Every structure is written in structure tokens, then in C-alpha cells.
Amino acid sequence: MLRIIIVSLTLLSIWFGLSGYYDIFFVTVGIAITIPCVLVVEKMRVIKGAQDFEGIEGASYSVLNFALYIPWLLKEIVKSAWEVTLVIIDPTLPISPTIKKIKAGQKTPMGIFTYANSITLTPGTLTISVLGQGIVIHSLLREGVEGLEQGIMDKKVTSIESNG
């Protein structure tokens, strides 16, 4: 119960810090948004101890590896956004759309979910479907598929999963 209160207060603090408004309307909206978020997160059993957090179907994540993954993913998003921007502003529009199925090395549904969403968050690539351990992706550039086939993102997402 204490952890739910701590998470709720943290989310409310972020809400108030980002909105910058403290009148009754914004306080009410902040509370109205925080309560369902905390209930969903608690239902998914994501709120756990300080060492690991647990997701759907018992997936356990290493908080440290996850904290290291986020800056890496942000760097990849910026890098991809720049590459896609250069392609779009090129008058010849040198795109090479590609659809390919790649193998996911994750062992849990939450791991595959994280990997598939990381692919979609990266500009120029989109997860079309997840079929067991396979992920069907669309890439604006052939290089996007080749980058995913190298398996760097797959290994990084797999490192987030811990043995519990």
C-alpha cells in the first residue's frame, strides 16, 4: 500500500511540475489521471521492490539495465530521426521500403512487447505484427532492417530481462 501511495505522489508531482498550474481544475484532472494509471500499473504488478520490477505474466526486469537502455534508445531515436529527415528532404527521395520478419531473443511476452515497441519508436521502422518469437517489421530504408538484423537492439532488450 505504501508503494502505491509513493507512486501516486510521484506521478502527481510530475503532473504538477510539468503543467505548472495549481488551480482546482488542474489538481482535479491530475488526480483523475493518476488514479487509473496507478490502478493499471498495480494490476500489471509493475510496482514491486527497488531491485526489479515485474510486468505481465511474471516478466522480471532489471531496473539498472532498463535505466541504461533508455538513454541508448533515445540516442537511436534521434539518430534514426536524422536519417529519415535527410531522406525526406532529398529531392530524389531515396527510400527502399522493406518488410521482413526478424527473430526476437526475449523470453517473456513483456520482453517481446518492449522490443516491438522499441522498433516502432525508432523513426523509419514500424512493428506490423508479433508472431510468437518473430516480429514482422516495415522499414522505410533497407538499412533499418539490416540494423535490426545485426541484433544490437535485441540484445539490449534481452539484457533488461532478469531471471527473477
Side-chain angles (χ1 to χ4, degrees):
M1 185 65 173
L2 180 62
R3 68 180 181 233
I4 293 173
I5 293 170
I6 291 170
V7 169
S8 298
L9 292 176
T10 301
L11 289 174
L12 280 172
S13 299
I14 292 169
W15 170 264
F16 294 134
L18 292 175
S19 73
Y21 296 101
Y22 307 102
D23 59 23
I24 191 70
F25 173 75
F26 281 98
V27 169
T28 305
V29 170
I31 292 170
I33 289 173
T34 299
I35 291 171
C37 288
V38 171
L39 292 174
V40 166
V41 166
E42 178 62 22
K43 182 74 174 163
M44 290 174 60
R45 298 180 315 193
V46 172
I47 305 173
K48 196 180 168 188
Q51 300 258 323
D52 290 328
F53 61 92
E54 191 175 309
I56 338 176
E57 295 188 26
S60 181
Y61 276 3
S62 163
V63 172
L64 174 63
N65 289 342
F66 190 75
L68 294 172
Y69 176 69
I70 295 300
W72 179 85
L73 180 60
L74 290 173
K75 178 190 71 127
E76 292 299 311
I77 290 170
V78 169
K79 192 169 81 175
S80 258
W82 179 251
E83 291 168 359
V84 169
T85 301
L86 291 176
V87 167
I88 291 170
I89 62 174
D90 187 326
T92 63
L93 196 64
I95 62 173
S96 49
T98 308
I99 294 179
K100 182 127 189 196
K101 182 177 177 182
I102 59 172
K103 186 166 176 6
Q106 294 71 43
K107 305 292 182 232
T108 62
M110 192 66 164
I112 294 171
F113 170 83
T114 302
Y115 185 38
N117 281 291
S118 295
I119 291 169
T120 297
L121 283 172
T122 309
T125 56
L126 174 69
T127 299
I128 296 174
S129 67
V130 177
L131 309 165
Q133 290 295 115
I135 298 177
V136 179
I137 59 161
H138 175 274
S139 180
L140 182 65
L141 305 169
R142 187 173 297 113
E143 293 82 15
V145 171
E146 292 167 358
L148 287 168
E149 287 178 327
Q150 290 174 1
I152 296 169
M153 182 184 283
D154 182 59
K155 287 181 181 118
K156 291 203 177 272
V157 174
T158 301
S159 75
I160 296 170
E161 294 180 310
S162 66
N163 296 329

